[in-house]
Amino acid sequence: MKTKNIEFILAPPPPHMVGDGFRVHNFIPSGYHLDMKRMSPFIMMDYNSKFYFQPTDQPRGVSVHPHRGFETVTIAYKGKVAHHDSSGNSGVIGEGDVQWMTAASGILHKEYHEEEFSKNGGDFQMVQLWVNLPAKDKMSAPKYQGITNAQINKFELPKNGGVIEVIAGQYENVKGTASTFTPVHLQNAKLNKEAKAFFHFPSNYNTCLLVIEGSIKINDRENVPTNHFVLFENEGEDFTIEAIENTIVLILSGEPINEPIAAHGPFVMNTQAEIIQAFNDVNMGKFGYLED
């Protein structure tokens, strides 16, 4: 099979705050050719690299905000996030856990540092990803998949090489825990030093990775340090990752949704008229109610 080569490696852009609880580097969409169409179905990626938050009695976070037309996927590496939404869902995303929320037709949402974590302070590290929905599913009912780390299906690499956590999609014979509307692969490769893992995705899938911890060598050629993002070319199917040290790598690959994208703030639809309708529906209370 043909090797999937690197298109470019991107250092983390300067961080900015989302609310007062998330200090993020925005990789998607950005000015580095990582727009929503190029990266489809991945239309947003914010990365809160490891950052120490001081103890506080008032939990930091993001107050009530709407979403429509896509899914939010929150992956917790350090720290804990409490969340609530207008469909009545609430819970805590702990270290190693994943929250997969399908906003679809519309939901109000808020997320904060979990109360005990806030009081104690500590290292905080998260990825939030937005996954687009095809037009036929954008107005489906909201749903929620809360996935603890124990529930994530895992592939054990030989010779104590580490583990591939298969959040969605498939790795070898292990199927992902999350259900998706279109073909999406989302995996955490937790590799021990000098271990090597092999990946295979269709050439037309948009494929990228983010080095969460440690450093890696790709295809026996190019070194990538912590917190750097790698975009692969849409040619070839196979690539390898070798851990230079103990490493965690988030790997994404998905089939593009070849439909028009109209996006404004928390809404991602197919036409401008649908964006206007989303604003009207929020103002009319059709997304439900959630206390701030």
Side-chain angles (χ1 to χ4, degrees), residues 34-244:
L34 299 175
D35 57 66
M36 290 183 175
K37 183 176 180 182
R38 170 66 182 89
M39 298 309 299
S40 176
F42 310 112
I43 51 175
M44 197 280 291
M45 179 196 274
D46 273 348
Y47 172 46
N48 191 128
S49 59
K50 194 183 293 180
F51 182 79
Y52 180 81
F53 280 96
Q54 298 284 346
T56 176
D57 290 332
Q58 185 64 42
R60 302 176 177 93
V62 182
S63 58
V64 176
H65 54 281
H67 292 302
R68 173 179 278 182
F70 59 93
E71 303 182 282
T72 69
V73 182
T74 304
I75 307 166
Y77 295 98
K78 298 281 184 187
K80 294 182 178 181
V81 173
H83 64 92
H84 297 81
D85 67 44
S86 54
S87 291
N89 294 305
S90 65
V92 174
I93 312 163
E95 292 189 7
D97 299 347
V98 176
Q99 178 211 35
W100 198 298
M101 185 181 78
T102 304
S105 61
I107 205 163
L108 300 178
H109 188 234
K110 64 179 178 179
E111 49 209 329
Y112 291 89
H113 294 183
E114 184 264 342
E115 193 172 349
E116 202 63 31
F117 173 81
S118 295
K119 286 179 179 176
N120 293 324
D123 286 337
F124 191 80
Q125 188 177 24
M126 302 258 165
V127 168
Q128 184 166 94
L129 187 68
W130 291 6
V131 180
N132 204 7
L133 290 171
K136 66 182 181 64
D137 297 313
K138 281 187 178 291
M139 294 300 288
S140 58
K143 69 171 187 172
Y144 170 80
Q145 300 173 77
I147 306 168
T148 65
N149 190 262
Q151 294 170 322
I152 297 174
N153 296 328
K154 299 172 178 72
F155 179 88
E156 298 281 345
L157 292 166
K159 300 178 183 175
N160 194 35
V163 66
I164 309 294
E165 297 180 345
V166 190
I167 300 166
Q170 188 160 340
Y171 185 87
E172 300 291 353
N173 60 341
V174 176
K175 291 193 173 177
T177 305
S179 65
T180 65
F181 287 80
T182 60
V184 171
H185 297 275
L186 192 60
Q187 302 165 359
N188 274 320
K190 297 184 173 179
L191 308 181
N192 295 324
K193 183 179 179 180
E194 297 181 355
K196 188 178 278 192
F198 171 87
F199 296 87
H200 175 91
F201 302 112
S203 59
N204 68 307
Y205 280 30
N206 291 326
T207 302
C208 57
L209 62 80
L210 178 62
V211 182
I212 302 292
E213 195 173 291
S215 55
I216 60 173
K217 180 177 282 189
I218 296 177
N219 295 332
D220 296 319
R221 287 199 302 271
E222 294 175 89
N223 289 359
V224 187
T226 310
N227 297 338
H228 281 55
F229 178 96
V230 175
L231 177 67
F232 289 92
E233 294 177 352
N234 290 103
E235 293 181 10
E237 296 86 24
D238 303 332
F239 63 92
T240 59
I241 293 174
E242 182 180 353
I244 297 170

